[in-house]
């Protein structure tokens, strides 16, 4: 510590100016680097916030459309009779048996209604 002070005081005037210029360059470079990263960070955050707002808006639009489309389909849908519903469930059970890779898991809710009724 004391040695550093002695060396600093023993420098010539031109050496002191040179060290001062070097320290100034390093300081200015640090300030510029800090400013650049601060501004770029702000730009990135603002861009992400804008994209998030747009994405949320599109998601809301998509959900609203999906709800409308579901209601529209339900209005146009002809209700199935019990016999048709049972036939559909039997068809789905048959497809499940023949396509194990499409329906890999079996649980109580995937069985046809007819067989569930017989068990009860």
């Amino acid at each position: 510590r004391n040695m550093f002070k002695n060396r600093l005081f023993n420098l010539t005037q031109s050496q002191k100016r040179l060290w001062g210029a070097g320290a100034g360059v390093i300081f200015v470079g640090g300030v510029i680097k800090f400013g650049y990263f601060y501004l770029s960070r702000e730009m990135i955050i603002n861009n992400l916030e804008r994209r998030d707002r747009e994405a949320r808006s599109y998601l809301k639009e998509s959900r609203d459309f999906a709800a409308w489309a579901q209601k529209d389909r339900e209005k146009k849908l002809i209700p199935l009779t019990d016999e048709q519903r049972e036939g559909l469930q039997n068809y789905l059970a048959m497809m499940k048996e023949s396509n194990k890779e499409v329906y890999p898991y079996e649980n109580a809710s995937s069985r046809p209604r007819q067989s569930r009724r017989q068990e009860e």
Side-chain angles (χ1 to χ4, degrees):
R1 187 171 174 194
N2 217 4
M3 188 171 77
F4 181 72
K5 263 188 186 178
N6 288 340
R7 291 201 91 161
L8 185 63
F9 287 122
N10 290 337
L11 294 176
T12 64
Q13 193 61 30
S14 64
Q15 288 175 328
K16 287 180 183 177
R17 268 189 259 128
L18 188 61
W19 274 99
V25 166
I26 290 174
F27 178 76
V28 169
V31 168
I32 290 172
K33 190 163 105 175
F34 173 79
Y36 170 76
F37 283 111
Y38 182 79
L39 287 175
S40 64
R41 177 181 170 273
E42 286 297 313
M43 289 171 53
I44 290 169
I45 288 172
N46 290 340
N47 186 37
L48 287 174
E49 287 173 350
R50 180 186 55 79
R51 288 178 63 191
D52 183 59
R53 277 193 308 273
E54 289 174 359
R56 287 176 187 272
S57 168
Y58 296 143
L59 178 62
K60 183 182 180 320
E61 219 175 276
S62 297
R63 286 181 174 163
D64 291 345
F65 177 77
W68 173 84
Q70 181 181 9
K71 288 177 187 172
D72 188 52
R73 279 192 306 272
E74 286 173 356
K75 279 189 237 173
K76 296 176 183 177
L77 187 64
I78 301 169
L80 296 176
T81 64
D82 287 339
E83 185 179 324
Q84 290 171 326
R85 187 172 285 113
E86 192 172 313
L88 178 62
Q89 291 299 325
N90 288 334
Y91 170 77
L92 291 174
M94 180 183 71
M95 291 303 293
K96 179 183 164 203
E97 289 299 318
S98 63
N99 294 315
K100 294 284 187 189
E101 66 278 357
V102 177
Y103 304 98
Y105 305 108
E106 180 169 338
N107 56 30
S109 64
S110 66
R111 291 182 291 169
R113 290 176 188 239
Q114 183 180 15
S115 61
R116 274 188 268 163
R117 281 189 197 139
Q118 290 172 352
E119 291 172 0
E120 293 173 351

